[in-house]
Amino acid sequence: MKGFYTVLLVFSISGLMAQEIDTIPIDTKDLQIKLKHSPLPSRIGSLIYKPIELAPKVVDAEINYWNTKTSVGVNLNQAAFSDNWSGGGVNSMALSGLINYRTEYRKENLSYTSEVILNYGKVKNRGQLEKKTVDRIYWDNKAAIQLSKNWYFFGSINFESQFDAGYSYETRNGQEVRGAMLSRFMSPGYLTESIGFEYKPNPFFSTRIGTGTARQTFVLDTTIHNDKNNNFGVPIGSKMINELAFQVVMNYDKDIFKNINLKSKYMAFVPYDNFGYINHRLDIALTAKVNRYMNTAITGVGLYDRYTSSKIQGSQTLSLGLVFIFPR
């Protein structure tokens, strides 16, 4: 222990001697020591601030509340067989066209939507008369005020008819002949006005509930006899009938896969004075985009209207064609 304290005493004395040596002043007069300049610049004087005027720039831009889209499609189906083709078949050609125009206006809680669908097509089989495959004129207009996040109050008016006359066909002496005329432009024609509420939880699905709906059915050609008692609900000899009803319209439009779109519309028309004559219509279109200008589509229509038939009516088409969309 004595050795330890001795060593400790020696280190303490050495430290004190070092402190005494470090504090001894040194005369640097004749040593010619040159101090380095500080790397930081030094300024002498006061800083003067001058205000700078910034001229505001006016951007010449307008907000466009309109969104417009137009689709034009042409479908051509053709089949040909040689005279000795053992598998059977008949030469045929089908051509159809579709124009779909849609414009939408949105500003704050107000919205307006207008959609026009024009669709017409014909088919010609060898040895037979040409026939219509599709024929429709549809124009829908809707204005709405947003009440809450998903609910709107709306008013709508739409028109529906066809371009060309439709006939029945029968065979006489082995030849196909045209029978009676069944329909034509504005025979029938439908004009529907509706007010009510719309539920729209997302951009691709909506449901209209038209509590106050009126529909006028027109049959301007009184020579057409769709039924022995009435023409599309219009009494024989009359040209128009008006109905008050409850209407439901459901729309679904979404890309379910990449380049594959599913679009459907369901409409139910329930007359207040005759619940037994409820009209149903379901339109479904599945479209697959092949490239920028080509697509293939399968469409189907299911219709139940007791004024025209006591059974469900249906149609289906499969097509490959060209489509042009504006703006791209």
Side-chain angles (χ1 to χ4, degrees):
M1 293 297 292
K2 292 182 178 180
F4 173 76
Y5 287 118
T6 302
V7 174
L8 182 60
L9 180 59
V10 172
F11 277 104
S12 300
I13 296 173
S14 300
L16 292 174
M17 291 177 63
Q19 291 180 0
E20 292 178 357
I21 295 173
D22 291 341
T23 58
I24 296 175
I26 300 175
D27 186 8
T28 60
K29 182 178 180 180
D30 299 327
L31 295 179
Q32 297 181 356
I33 297 176
K34 294 182 180 180
L35 298 177
K36 294 183 178 180
H37 293 286
S38 174
L40 298 176
S42 60
R43 294 183 179 179
I44 300 175
S46 60
L47 297 178
I48 300 175
Y49 297 93
K50 293 183 179 180
I52 299 176
E53 295 183 0
L54 297 177
K57 288 188 176 181
V58 179
V59 179
D60 187 12
E62 296 182 357
I63 300 176
N64 186 10
Y65 298 100
W66 290 90
N67 184 17
T68 302
K69 181 180 179 181
T70 303
S71 301
V72 180
V74 179
N75 298 318
L76 175 63
N77 300 321
Q78 183 267 340
F81 305 89
S82 63
D83 294 336
N84 61 342
W85 182 257
S86 60
V90 60
N91 296 351
S92 66
M93 178 173 291
L95 179 66
S96 65
L98 170 66
I99 298 176
N100 190 344
Y101 172 81
R102 180 183 177 89
T103 182
E104 186 174 11
Y105 174 86
R106 286 188 176 275
K107 184 179 180 181
E108 298 177 354
N109 62 337
L110 301 177
S111 66
Y112 168 75
T113 304
S114 179
E115 183 176 20
V116 178
I117 299 176
L118 306 177
N119 200 359
Y120 185 78
K122 276 194 170 184
V123 61
K124 179 66 172 70
N125 296 326
R126 183 179 179 182
Q128 299 179 5
L129 299 175
E130 64 179 22
K131 303 179 181 67
K132 291 193 303 181
T133 55
V134 63
D135 187 2
R136 191 186 187 197
I137 302 173
Y138 181 77
W139 184 20
D140 181 65
N141 298 271
K142 182 197 69 174
I145 301 175
Q146 188 172 8
L147 302 177
S148 64
K149 180 180 179 181
N150 298 327
W151 285 95
Y152 299 78
F153 178 77
F154 80 92
S156 68
I157 180 171
N158 63 67
F159 169 77
E160 185 172 7
S161 188
Q162 62 190 54
F163 289 100
D164 202 1
Y167 299 89
S168 62
Y169 296 89
E170 55 187 37
T171 302
R172 298 176 184 174
N173 300 323
Q175 295 290 328
E176 186 180 45
V177 295
R178 180 180 293 172
M181 181 187 296
L182 301 178
S183 62
R184 61 183 303 179
F185 177 71
M186 290 300 293
S187 297
Y190 302 97
L191 185 65
T192 306
E193 307 88 20
S194 181
I195 59 173
F197 300 92
E198 181 181 32
Y199 175 67
K200 191 172 183 179
N202 49 57
F204 55 84
F205 175 77
S206 65
T207 300
R208 296 188 207 172
I209 304 174
T211 54
T213 302
R215 184 177 73 176
Q216 296 79 47
T217 302
F218 301 90
V219 180
L220 302 185
D221 189 346
T222 57
T223 63
I224 294 177
H225 286 181
N226 175 263
D227 187 87
K228 63 180 180 180
N229 297 319
N230 61 73
N231 292 329
F232 304 97
V234 179
I236 300 297
S238 300
K239 294 185 178 182
M240 189 196 76
I241 186 175
N242 184 66
E243 298 176 281
L244 298 178
F246 175 83
Q247 187 181 48
V248 176
V249 179
M250 303 175 66
N251 290 281
Y252 184 89
D253 188 353
K254 185 181 180 181
D255 292 337
I256 55 176
F257 300 105
K258 185 179 180 180
N259 296 332
I260 298 180
N261 177 265
L262 175 63
K263 185 176 183 179
S264 66
K265 179 189 287 287
Y266 168 75
M267 294 184 290
F269 185 85
V270 186
Y272 282 129
D273 61 346
N274 194 343
F275 286 96
Y277 280 77
I278 302 176
N279 297 334
H280 303 270
R281 181 184 175 107
L282 177 63
D283 294 78
I284 298 178
L286 186 65
T287 305
K289 186 176 180 180
V290 179
N291 55 38
R292 185 176 181 181
Y293 297 108
M294 295 185 65
N295 66 14
T296 181
I298 180 170
T299 60
V301 179
L303 176 64
Y304 180 72
D305 185 353
R306 293 187 62 179
Y307 286 132
T308 57
S309 177
S310 60
K311 298 180 180 180
I312 297 177
Q313 305 173 60
S315 68
Q316 177 269 326
T317 59
L318 175 64
S319 61
L320 174 67
L322 301 175
V323 61
F324 305 92
I325 300 176
F326 310 97
R328 301 205 63 87

